[in-house]
Amino acid sequence: MFLRVLLVNAAVVTVLAHGIAWADPKPRGAKAADPNRVVELYRGKTQIWNVCGGGLYYGTNGQASAWCRKHKHIVALGTWRVDRNARVCREIIWHWPEGESIRSKSDGVVCIEHVVAPDGSIWRSWPDESEWWSMSGDRGLLKGDRFKSQKKRRARKMGLKL
C-alpha cells in the first residue's frame, strides 16, 4: 500500500512539473510576485492532475485536499499558504485503508516559487526544477473543488473529516 502512495506522489510531481505548458528559463528581470496576487490565483481552485485523473484543491480557508481516480481509495488532507516570498507552500497527508486500520503519510512541505516578469505575467517553478512555467492561460488550475464528492465519500469511509 505504501508503494501506491509513493506512485501517487510521483505522478503528482510529474504532472505539476511537466503537464501544464512548455517550460522556459526564468524570465529575465523577474522579481518575486506579490503574495496577495498569488493567493488570488490559487484560492478556491483545483490544480488538475491529468496523469492520475484528479487534483489538489486550494480551499478558501487555507485547507487543501487531493484525490486521484487512479488511486481512488486514497485521499489527502492538509493545508496551504502563500509566504512573503510568494511561494505557495502546501503540506498534505495521504490517508488510505490497510486492513482494519487507516495508514497516513505526509508529503512534507512542498513550495512552488512565483515571480512576476517585467510584462506583468506570473511564472512558477517547482522545487529542484530549473524550468519556469507561465500561468497565463493555465487550464490546469480550475475554479471550484472539482473532486469534492469523491474526496468526501473517501474521507467518510475512513472516518476522516473533509
Side-chain angles (χ1 to χ4, degrees), residues 12-154:
V12 168
V13 170
T14 300
V15 171
L16 290 177
H18 304 290
I20 297 168
W22 295 106
D24 288 306
K26 186 175 184 177
R28 181 170 286 150
K31 297 184 174 155
D34 174 0
N36 293 319
R37 187 171 172 198
V38 174
V39 166
E40 291 310 313
L41 289 170
Y42 286 83
R43 182 185 307 188
K45 295 181 181 164
T46 300
Q47 179 71 57
I48 300 299
W49 296 337
N50 292 322
V51 169
C52 72
L56 172 70
Y57 176 64
Y58 296 91
T60 57
N61 58 359
Q63 299 298 330
S65 55
W67 178 84
C68 288
R69 182 172 286 109
K70 194 172 187 177
H71 304 283
K72 60 186 177 186
H73 62 284
I74 300 173
V75 68
L77 306 172
T79 60
W80 75 281
R81 64 182 168 75
V82 175
D83 68 16
R84 64 185 172 160
N85 296 317
R87 295 182 314 157
V88 171
C89 298
R90 60 108 168 133
E91 183 172 15
I92 56 176
I93 299 172
W94 293 94
H95 305 276
W96 67 96
E98 192 168 283
E100 297 296 316
S101 62
I102 303 301
R103 299 284 310 262
S104 301
K105 174 98 172 104
S106 173
D107 271 357
V109 177
V110 176
C111 296
I112 307 166
E113 187 176 356
H114 293 77
V115 297
V116 62
D119 68 1
S121 61
I122 302 285
W123 291 71
R124 61 184 167 182
S125 181
W126 280 265
D128 303 320
E129 293 286 330
S130 60
E131 293 90 7
W132 287 82
W133 308 84
S134 174
M135 293 192 70
S136 299
D138 183 359
R139 285 175 251 131
L141 200 55
L142 303 176
K143 187 174 182 176
D145 189 349
R146 299 298 174 113
F147 304 101
K148 185 175 185 174
S149 63
Q150 293 93 329
K151 291 182 296 187
K152 198 175 223 177
R153 186 171 34 253
R154 176 50 43 202

